[in-house]
Amino acid sequence: MTFSLNEDQRMLQEAAGRFLADRHPPSVARAAAGCPADARLTLWREIAEQGWPALLAPTGHDGLGLGMREAWVVAEAAGRHLLSLPLVANMVVLPTLCESIPAGPVAQWAQAMMQGEMYFADAAMRPDGSAFIEGAGAGVPALALRCLGPGSLRLERHAPLSGIGGTAGTSGIPGTSGISGISVTSGASATAGLDPTMPVARVACPDVQEAIEVQVDARMWRRLKTRMTLLRSAELLGAASAALDMAAAYARERRQFDRAIGANQAIKHRLADDWMALDDARLAGMAAAASHDADAPSADRDSLYVPLLAVEGGRRAVQNAIQVHGALGITWECDAHLYLKRVLRLAASLHAEASCTEWLERIWEGAGAERVAA
């Protein structure tokens, strides 16, 4: 198995980097909470023209029918450029369900999303019936997916939130405009999210426009969860790698005692360790993506290593990036904070699925099961 990108994947990586560098630089990410709804939809249309939302969708549903290695490249680029739209959730949920549900509302929603007509915010349901929505915006519907039992899923489409800004306070971050949540009248409250580059909202009583219960096999549910975990890990690694690059550049430029601070072992060894940790996680992710695409027997086990390595290496890299910047690093104006918050939010999302201890237990149990089978 080779972990290097082929020519098509390298072209995709370069194209994604150029597009996001032009259309979504850090200045746009910093002002994401105050971005008008029409501007966000325009950006989504441009993303749809790139074909990213359709990467994993079957060709029979007008998708590109590509694999997780291509999706990994795009998700990592989205993280590196702090994309303020819920790209990963849109790339995974509906395109994956289309594999089991050939027609009906799911296919129609997927078509509209892939063609750039709309996108869906990602709603996570809580035990009290409330919903925490990432990528919330005025006029943006949300999708919530729940597992009701073995082979049974419930997909809910929540009504769009009705307004943005004005009544819920500011994000509290100097140099930004607007708020980092949505203010509406129907049981929703604005939330100053951990990640100021991703607008969020909390809805006490979601307005469910349509609910669909679908029967899928256990393999499809695992497939969907694995895709989401891997691509969230890719996004986290993209943000952490950008922070590491930023720290390395600063260490080469900042001089103390007539030499660059990067010449000091305490800094250069730490940056080198962070690079190795992120590279290890990226290699594990590419291996897991290749196993997933090949439907290998080890695919489920391979995917368990990725969030563990990504969270541990990513958090350390962004925290060290703040330290390398010294006094500048603790100011809100330093973009390293944006990468820190993006990584911490994604790490929290991955830990909501399983803690590091639980990931380790699953790896251990999987290795034991393989020894017994052998």
Side-chain angles (χ1 to χ4, degrees):
M1 180 184 298
T2 177
F3 300 138
S4 60
L5 301 178
N6 60 36
E7 184 177 357
D8 289 341
Q9 290 163 352
R10 287 195 298 270
M11 291 175 61
L12 176 62
Q13 184 181 57
E14 293 170 1
R18 287 195 303 268
F19 174 83
L20 291 170
D22 178 59
R23 296 290 289 111
H24 206 277
S27 59
V28 173
R30 184 176 284 275
C35 182
D38 57 347
R40 296 170 66 83
L41 184 57
T42 297
L43 178 60
W44 181 260
R45 291 194 186 101
E46 295 174 355
I47 288 174
E49 290 173 0
Q50 302 293 315
W52 301 346
L55 278 174
L56 296 175
T59 55
H61 288 270
D62 295 331
L64 299 181
L66 297 177
M68 281 293 292
R69 296 191 68 174
E70 288 78 13
W72 176 282
V73 167
V74 170
E76 189 172 357
R80 174 174 284 276
H81 295 275
L82 299 171
L83 183 64
S84 55
L85 294 172
L87 177 62
V88 166
N90 282 269
M91 287 174 66
V92 171
V93 177
L94 292 176
T96 302
L97 289 177
C98 282
E99 297 178 14
S100 296
I101 308 170
V106 172
Q108 295 170 7
W109 299 344
Q111 285 281 344
M113 181 271 296
M114 291 187 296
Q115 292 172 4
E117 298 173 11
M118 61 186 301
Y119 65 92
F120 292 93
D122 184 25
M125 302 305 298
R126 294 180 170 179
D128 62 359
S130 64
F132 182 78
I133 303 175
E134 291 186 349
V140 180
L143 281 183
L145 182 65
R146 288 189 281 181
C147 183
L148 302 179
S152 181
L153 302 180
R154 177 181 173 88
L155 184 65
E156 296 178 351
R157 173 172 172 156
H158 296 177
L161 302 181
S162 59
I164 192 167
T167 62
T170 64
S171 64
I173 301 174
T176 62
S177 61
I179 61 172
S180 58
I182 309 302
S183 175
V184 300
T185 58
S186 57
S189 61
T191 301
L194 175 65
D195 178 5
T197 68
M198 179 63 72
V200 298
R202 185 165 51 245
V203 184
C205 298
D207 181 5
V208 180
Q209 288 185 323
E210 191 168 359
I212 304 169
E213 292 189 14
V214 296
Q215 300 300 314
V216 298
D217 56 26
R219 175 181 172 277
M220 177 56 67
W221 175 241
R222 289 197 307 270
R223 186 175 180 81
L224 193 153
K225 295 294 287 183
T226 297
R227 285 179 168 183
M228 186 67 77
T229 298
L230 289 178
L231 294 189
R232 284 194 182 277
S233 298
E235 187 181 354
L236 187 154
L237 288 173
S241 296
L244 175 60
D245 291 346
M246 184 178 177
Y250 185 78
R252 290 191 295 267
E253 296 171 1
R254 180 72 167 92
R255 301 183 67 85
Q256 286 184 341
F257 305 108
D258 203 29
R259 69 173 185 172
I261 62 172
N264 298 319
Q265 291 186 2
I267 292 180
K268 67 180 179 182
H269 286 185
R270 182 177 295 180
L271 293 175
D273 288 343
D274 290 340
W275 183 89
M276 292 178 64
L278 296 182
D279 193 54
D280 286 345
R282 184 175 293 105
L283 289 174
M286 295 298 287
S291 295
H292 181 88
D293 290 340
D295 202 16
S298 62
D300 289 341
R301 183 205 61 195
D302 292 344
S303 67
L304 297 176
Y305 296 93
V306 183
L308 179 65
L309 294 172
V311 168
E312 291 298 309
R315 286 195 304 198
R316 187 169 64 246
V318 291
Q319 289 164 354
N320 286 340
I322 297 291
Q323 295 296 321
V324 168
H325 281 81
L328 175 63
I330 64 173
T331 64
W332 283 115
E333 288 76 14
C334 180
D335 285 342
H337 277 280
L338 301 181
Y339 299 113
L340 172 68
K341 296 304 179 72
R342 175 60 63 100
V343 167
L344 292 180
R345 178 179 65 80
L346 291 169
S349 175
L350 290 168
H351 277 169
E353 169 65 19
S355 66
C356 286
T357 301
E358 290 170 326
W359 289 120
L360 287 170
E361 288 177 351
R362 294 182 187 182
I363 293 170
W364 180 262
E365 292 169 357
E370 287 183 358
R371 286 195 297 268
V372 170

